[in-house]
Amino acid sequence: MTKNPFYILVLYYQTLRYLSLNQITFKIINIFKIIFFQFFSKFYYWLNFKKIKPEEISDITLEWPFEVKKKDYKNIKKYSFNFLNQKIQFESNIEWKNNKIFKNNLLWQYNLNYHNFLLSLIHDKSTNAESKSLLIQEIITDWINKNDLKNNKYDNNIWNSYVVSNRIISWVKLYTHFNNFFDQDFKKKFLSSLRFQLKYLNHNLEYHLRANHLLENSFALIFGSVLFNDKKIFEKGQLILNSQLKEQIMIDGAHFELSPMYHQHISHRLLDLYYFLDCSDIINPNIKNLIKSKLSIMLGWLEKITFSNGDIPTVNDCSFGIYPSTRDILNYASNIDIEPNLDRLCESGYRFKKKNKYELFFDSAQIGPAFNPGHGHNDVFNFILYIEKIPFIVDTGTSTYNFSKRRLKEKSTSSHNTVSINGQEQSEIWSNFRVAKRVNPKIIQENDHQIIAQYISLQKNIYHQREINFYESKILLKDVVNNDHLNYSYLHFHPSIDIEVRENSIMTSMAEIKFSGFKEIKVEDYSYAEGFNLLKNSKKLKMIFSKESLIEINIFDQNKSKN
């Protein structure tokens, strides 16, 4: 990004103009709150801390039907953790806020402090409940001793409201499962800390960010308030949840940030919340009915955009294996009598075509909600193609949230299977989670066999139109750009696909791709993100055309060999 001060001011203006006055106000308030806590956290602790007795809280004991995988008792006992495909083993104790370790790995530190990893002990069968509860008590006691605000300096990464929300939910779930195995002294310490964190969150909700952060805050408020029988916080959490579900869940069930990964997370959270409320003494049919109705269309959307092999499209900020799979989520929902119910994809701008030989995902969506498009990519008219349940043409994916060249590259137009007009980016993504000017794509015609979509470029009076025609064994992609400049079209192949370059075509074992209207076709290397911090070498095509091009993908019969 250029360092021209005037241009940077313009970018800030083009970014901030989409924010509401409330958002800007809460952002300023949030900055002053962080400063306040850095200097007066002990005073805040003294005002808000209260010792809690176990008999003051709800008597709820739950099994939690969904099984959290990936971690196990032995590794946790060794202080060995693998988050985001990065393994760290601490020596004698867990370092919750080691600046050397977490300097360029903030998301890993967040995951450690969510305490989600302890939930895997609920279903771990390698040891007994007493041993698991002792390990939980040891780790949480260590966290309280090193991070409470009575004796420790305020750390915004530990007390970030999104992190606190995750931790509250984890602790509530742990307590409702293991409370009969916890000793009384630990219960008092644990519940007092949990109660304080709930109050802290109630005072520090993320109104400046909104979107999935505020939704996560509302989940935590409800989980915590039910445990502590706090009607005031419960009502507040319910009001936020009600307003945010209505705002954030689109007509076709998509979460409006349009990341299938975050959609999985929010669906799982809502399932847990529905189950928790169903097992509690809270008699409030309105909130349960709202959750159930939203879940029904959210599950329907998730089911419709998931490939037959279980993969989700890794569009926008999205990666495999971070949250429960679509299959696991649908099974969980079925176990508590919630079924997916959605007629068709519409408002989200995503489309999914299934034929006998292939499945194609198409993205004609906005970059995200206008006031928070931080998880969006320059991927308008991007598509992903699976043949016989095998990934063929793929999205580059997401491997990092760290502000870096790699982060900006993964968000760029050239990292997606679409067109860069005159070599320019579609929208002005200029930082980790910031977007200035952005385009407005629309589907202008569609039926079972065809999609035609168009957007007006940020460059004056120039548009890109992509037309896709679907046949049983063939796909035609026609791109039209109404200018005489050189435009760049990209196709990214999965690492498992070997390609052979021929004259005006590419041959693979699964399909032949023919090209018309291109001035030049280059094969280049690129790094495919198999997950966070997991890159694998693969091949992509960079093709140059002016005005009009045609890509024809002819899919072979399953047993047909390459000619």
Side-chain angles (χ1 to χ4, degrees), residues 95-125:
E95 299 184 50
W96 303 103
K97 48 188 176 184
N98 186 315
N99 291 332
K100 291 182 180 178
I101 295 174
F102 303 128
K103 183 178 180 182
N104 295 311
N105 217 345
L106 183 60
L107 193 56
W108 202 99
Q109 184 185 14
Y110 282 178
N111 274 266
L112 180 66
N113 282 277
Y114 292 162
H115 287 185
N116 288 344
F117 65 89
L118 291 172
L119 297 176
S120 63
L121 296 177
I122 291 174
H123 293 281
D124 188 295
K125 295 178 175 63

Side-chain angles (χ1 to χ4, degrees), residues 281-457:
D281 295 329
I282 299 293
I283 303 173
N284 191 324
N286 292 334
I287 186 172
K288 285 183 61 182
N289 289 339
L290 174 67
I291 293 171
K292 190 169 186 176
S293 65
K294 292 298 182 183
L295 268 171
S296 182
I297 59 170
M298 289 177 71
L299 296 173
W301 184 88
L302 188 57
E303 187 177 51
K304 285 190 180 298
I305 61 102
T306 298
F307 290 98
S308 296
N309 71 346
D311 288 352
I312 51 174
T314 52
V315 289
N316 290 323
D317 280 343
C318 184
S319 193
F320 297 126
I322 300 299
Y323 296 118
S325 70
T326 299
R327 186 178 294 107
D328 287 338
I329 288 169
L330 292 174
N331 287 340
Y332 186 0
S334 180
N335 288 337
I336 57 175
D337 298 321
I338 300 176
E339 299 296 333
N341 182 19
L342 182 67
D343 180 38
R344 63 187 181 89
L345 301 172
C346 53
E347 187 187 6
S348 62
Y350 288 169
R351 297 294 185 267
F352 199 95
K353 296 294 182 180
K354 282 190 178 184
K355 299 290 185 180
N356 289 332
K357 294 182 180 180
Y358 67 87
E359 298 166 286
L360 186 143
F361 170 88
F362 179 64
D363 179 355
S364 59
Q366 308 283 338
I367 199 167
F371 59 84
N372 192 341
H375 289 298
H377 287 205
N378 274 323
D379 58 0
V380 175
F381 303 159
N382 179 32
F383 74 98
I384 298 171
L385 175 63
Y386 277 42
I387 299 175
E388 302 287 357
K389 301 183 181 181
I390 297 171
F392 183 66
I393 293 174
V394 294
D395 192 279
T396 298
T398 300
S399 68
T400 183
Y401 279 3
N402 293 338
F403 184 51
S404 59
K405 289 182 180 178
R406 176 68 198 180
R407 171 67 170 161
L408 294 178
K409 177 64 177 173
E410 289 175 351
K411 282 175 161 267
S412 70
T413 310
S414 63
S415 290
H416 303 91
N417 305 306
T418 188
V419 170
S420 169
I421 298 175
N422 196 24
Q424 301 297 307
E425 295 293 341
Q426 292 173 337
S427 295
E428 285 185 314
I429 296 177
W430 61 281
S431 188
N432 238 6
F433 299 101
R434 289 177 182 156
V435 184
K437 290 189 287 185
R438 67 284 305 255
V439 296
N440 183 27
K442 291 180 180 178
I443 292 177
I444 57 177
Q445 183 177 319
E446 68 175 317
N447 55 50
D448 290 343
H449 309 291
Q450 183 187 64
I451 298 173
I452 302 176
Q454 187 182 96
Y455 74 88
I456 306 298
S457 167

Side-chain angles (χ1 to χ4, degrees), residues 47-232:
L47 285 178
N48 290 278
F49 182 79
K50 176 187 174 185
K51 289 186 178 180
I52 303 293
K53 297 178 182 179
E55 56 268 23
E56 295 177 19
I57 68 163
S58 299
D59 183 20
I60 307 173
T61 302
L62 299 177
E63 286 300 318
W64 293 106
F66 180 75
E67 182 174 350
V68 180
K69 301 174 182 176
K70 298 183 184 179
K71 314 295 181 297
D72 58 59
Y73 174 81
K74 289 181 181 178
N75 283 332
I76 296 173
K77 194 168 178 62
K78 292 176 184 174
Y79 307 135
S80 177
F81 304 97
N82 189 335
F83 304 120
L84 309 170
N85 301 304
Q86 285 188 322
K87 184 177 180 180
I88 295 177
Q89 181 160 353
F90 300 102
E91 293 182 6
S92 57
N93 54 70
I94 299 172
E95 299 184 50
W96 303 103
K97 48 188 176 184
N98 186 315
N99 291 332
K100 291 182 180 178
I101 295 174
F102 303 128
K103 183 178 180 182
N104 295 311
N105 217 345
L106 183 60
L107 193 56
W108 202 99
Q109 184 185 14
Y110 282 178
N111 274 266
L112 180 66
N113 282 277
Y114 292 162
H115 287 185
N116 288 344
F117 65 89
L118 291 172
L119 297 176
S120 63
L121 296 177
I122 291 174
H123 293 281
D124 188 295
K125 295 178 175 63
S126 65
T127 190
N128 57 45
E130 289 82 1
S131 297
K132 291 188 286 188
S133 67
L134 286 172
L135 180 58
I136 291 168
Q137 290 176 86
E138 174 197 327
I139 288 174
I140 290 181
T141 299
D142 181 68
W143 186 91
I144 294 171
N145 290 340
K146 292 176 179 176
N147 295 291
D148 74 7
L149 297 182
K150 179 182 179 181
N151 301 308
N152 299 279
K153 188 177 179 182
Y154 174 81
D155 186 320
N156 189 48
N157 296 335
I158 304 289
W159 290 94
N160 172 293
S161 293
Y162 188 79
V163 176
V164 173
S165 296
N166 273 269
R167 191 164 54 244
I168 287 171
I169 296 169
S170 295
W171 282 24
V172 170
K173 291 174 75 173
L174 288 168
Y175 186 82
T176 56
H177 185 81
F178 287 104
N179 68 83
N180 291 330
F181 297 96
F182 292 156
D183 66 53
Q184 290 301 309
D185 288 340
F186 172 76
K187 280 185 180 181
K188 291 175 184 177
K189 188 169 190 171
F190 171 88
L191 292 171
S192 297
S193 177
L194 178 56
R195 177 64 178 169
F196 175 79
Q197 290 179 64
L198 183 64
K199 279 191 173 183
Y200 172 90
L201 176 63
N202 190 40
H203 297 154
N204 294 277
L205 297 168
E206 295 174 279
Y207 290 115
H208 59 298
L209 295 175
R210 293 164 61 186
N212 74 87
H213 281 244
L214 188 56
L215 201 51
E216 193 79 10
N217 297 164
S218 73
F219 296 148
L221 290 181
I222 296 172
F223 269 96
S225 62
V226 170
L227 187 69
F228 288 105
N229 292 308
D230 191 317
K231 292 182 180 179
K232 188 175 180 180

Side-chain angles (χ1 to χ4, degrees), residues 240-253:
I240 296 171
L241 180 66
N242 182 67
S243 66
Q244 292 307 303
L245 285 179
K246 289 178 178 177
E247 176 182 71
Q248 296 189 33
I249 307 306
M250 305 174 89
I251 293 170
D252 62 1

